Amino acid sequence: MSITWLSVTLSGFGRYREETTFRFAPGVNVCLAGNEAGKTTLAAGLAAIIYGLPATADPRAFGQGRYKNWDDPARFAGELNLQAGTQQYRILRNFANNRVSLQRLIDAKWQEEVGGEHKPGARKPNLAYEKKITELLGINSRELFMATFFVGQPLPQDENINPEIQQLISGSGAHYRDALDSLLAQAKAITRYTGRLGLTGQDMRNHRELELLEDEIATVGQAVKDSEETLLSLQNTSEELSMLRRKRELQSEELQKKEEMLSGWQKWRNLRERYTDSLQRQNVLSMAVEQGKKLQGDIQEKKKRLNLIMPGDCQDAEEMPDFATLGPTPQQTVEEAEKAAKRLHSDWQTFLADLEQLDLLESRLAGDYSLFEEAEPTLLEQLAAYNALRYRLETEKSKAAADFQRLRRLEEDWRAALEDFDAEFADLADLPENAAELIDKKLQLLNKMRREKEIKRPTGKSWLPATAAAALMGGAAFWLSRVIWLSGAVAAATAFVVLYILAQIKRNRQAAAGKKSLGELDGCLQQVDAQLGQHAFDDEAALGELRVRLKQRQRATARVEEMAEALPPAHAREALAVARESADNAYHSFLEQAEPFLRSFTDIETAYESWRDMLRKAATLRESVASFVRRQGAEVEPGQLMTLSPAELSYPWPVLASLAGVYDSRAQTAETLMSWLDQRDAAWWQKAINDAIKFAQTQQEATELLQEIQNCRQELSGLLSAHGAADLGQLQNVLTDATNRAVRILQDWEQVIEAHPGLPGTGEQDPHNLAEFSRDLEAETARLRDEDARLHETIRQLEIVQSRLQGKAPQNLAALQERQRDLTEKRGRLQREKAALKLAYTELSDAIHNFSSSYRQELAQKSSEIFCRITGQRERKLELDEHFNIGVTEEGRSVSPAQLSQGTRDQLYISLRLAIADLLAADVRLPFILDDPFLNWDENRLEIIGTTLAQIGQSRQVILLSHRQEYAHWGTHCQKS
């Protein structure tokens, strides 16, 4: 089926802001227009209508960012009318919203075949539209369409045919390697030994499914064997355990009886010892009661004798004060003690007041003020000047933060300027640094080329100088004729002929020079365009705008660099960051240390001074109470003085304590002594003096009786203390309790004998018999314990073996055996599949090689025919290897395309394109679009290719886009409206 482009309409596309239509005829069409007139844009628009225009904003890529008109057009759309065989179609596309409609002309009316949204490269493609395009054109890829049926300039220099074109040539729809790779991938998934199968150069390292399956089969087989052995061992172990447990149960019952007998024997011996001890204590207490009664009688008898010699006001001998402890002159001692007591009482009251005040201060110091005590000296120095130090740290922190923030603003301004620079000039990033100079050079070259073309173009005025020269020559010839007698007519004719020949020679030289100059300028222009990249196709106005932007980029670059140089060096920035962090840490560290003090005190400095004042007062009070303690002859803490015995203190404490003891006051501590003295008034002190006088009168006789009474009392007290009694009544109660305890122990003893038959009776007292009974019982019990421990250990070991066997035993042996059979069957299936894949890979490789060779040979033969025809050299032959790499054979020698001239390489490329189109013509014959591809062709080559295109135009539409007028006669001029 032959395809003919009838018309293309573009609106808002590239240079075509307004709606512009191009109409074409069958055969060869020639579209002539100057440079930058939109010829290449026309070809791009045709492809965009068919295959869509991506929404990318990148002006370098094929998309809306590159081809949407800059002047805000009313519409951004396109329409393509085409003839496919006998049917006429049109494609309407809105580039702005990607809406497309493919319509067919039926009965003079357009009817939509497919339509809707069609976004190139979308995740959800319009499958109906793409299928219809494939049916109509045979190609569903814009890139492949342009690579096959669009020939632009400069011509490609690749030495290999596009892989997608290879697929079209072979008719496979997918590269043959895909099928082989799929078979190889399946083989690699099954086995690692692809090298041994001849599919790869060597085997792979890791196991694949078949090798892993072999390992699993071996593992499952071993598991089945181990499970069977484990089940047998588990059964034997269970039977042996059951027998040993029954045996241990019987022995455990016997051991329990022996251990109960042994426990009863221990109780028997304990109760026997307790009963013996109770009887002995009963006897001792009975004797103590008799001795106590005797001592009590002696004390009563001696007290009666003492009453006979005691003063009349003493009702009892015990009421007589014993002044013997006061020395040989008790009267004088009592009188001096009265004076010392008054002085000591005054000092004691002062001591107690100071001690109370000291306790109060220490309590406050141990409370909230303990924070100062626990603080380090450096912190105390800071707290003493808290307000000033806090103000200084806050100032330093604020300054460091301001300096750092100032640096941050400089860096942010620089980064913002850098981002603005990148955003504004991102599209110029690919241009070289000398792009402005290149643009100036290109503009100069274009001007020179324009001038050269104007010089080269012949005009009517160019004959004026020649006519004038002819007149002058005619006049000169007439003058000469008069001189040398020649005919005037002959001389004029001769002059005219000579002048005409000279003018023709001059014009030929100028034309040759102009052509050479244009060629040189065109070569320079191509070099500049190669460096300008995508901007090589911009018109002069666009290049002027680009040059302005490049100047702006240079100024912006200088501005960004100036801002970068204004930034402090890295070490300075780091120092500012460290200073800010240090000041911030110092401030927060100080607040963190002062925070406990702020919770307890509203004014830290005042609290600090109060703490120092309390320390000074506490030190004074400590010295005062310590001085009092030292005066009392003690080396203890002040609080401990009150608990000391008066005997440990200096005068008058021992004397006053002795006086208190005379009146039976137990002043064991200094505090109790002072309490006792507080209760003594002047009358008491006078009575004490009188008692001392009376004591001196009866001292000797009374002293002897009192000593005897004291001795009896001490003996009685020792007797009672030995048995834990306060008096004789309690001692009698203790005797009764001992008797009752002995009876209870005897009853418990008899109950133990009754509960454990076989134990000796209470009457058995022979030590030999009792020792022999104990040895026999302990030996039998030990034997049973050893036997039980041995059985327990044997059972424990068997239970461990049983647990291990149970852990090894499978949950389902039948399932393992079933798994073993399934794996074996799967192995056989995989082995058969492996053999089939090897066979398929080998056969397919051979078939593909033969298939590819035939198509390569056909393409090479067809290309060689065209190449020879358009080059005029029959000895040249084009060759394609199995990878579709291009080669040339000339006079039997292999020549790389790179060794050929540029013009010859262009002819080679055109030959391949024409041959490929012929091979594809069996399905769909698409038109050729040629965009000035003959820049490097001389007149001879142009004549040959013109003839060739005319022949091609008989069976395929050809559209030639060019600015060269010499192509005008090659075909029909396309119509633009």
Side-chain angles (χ1 to χ4, degrees), residues 777-821:
L777 179 60
E778 290 176 353
E780 181 62 17
T781 303
R783 185 188 67 78
L784 291 173
R785 283 175 180 167
D786 292 342
E787 182 63 19
D788 182 73
R790 186 185 64 77
L791 286 173
H792 173 72
E793 179 61 23
T794 302
I795 291 172
R796 189 183 71 82
Q797 294 295 335
L798 284 175
E799 286 175 343
I800 292 173
V801 173
Q802 185 183 44
S803 298
R804 290 175 180 171
L805 292 174
Q806 288 174 341
K808 292 167 58 178
Q811 295 181 355
N812 192 336
L813 180 60
L816 273 178
Q817 293 170 340
E818 179 66 23
R819 176 63 176 165
Q820 188 179 29
R821 286 192 295 272

Side-chain angles (χ1 to χ4, degrees), residues 449-476:
M449 292 177 70
R450 194 178 299 110
R451 287 195 301 270
E452 289 293 339
K453 291 178 181 178
E454 290 175 356
I455 293 173
K456 181 180 177 182
R457 185 181 300 117
T459 62
K461 295 181 180 180
S462 61
W463 290 96
L464 292 176
T467 305
L472 290 174
M473 290 293 293

Side-chain angles (χ1 to χ4, degrees), residues 928-944:
F928 262 120
I929 300 177
L930 307 176
D931 185 9
D932 244 346
F934 311 126
L935 294 177
N936 299 303
W937 295 40
D938 56 24
E939 294 179 356
N940 183 43
R941 287 172 175 165
L942 289 176
E943 183 179 353
I944 295 174

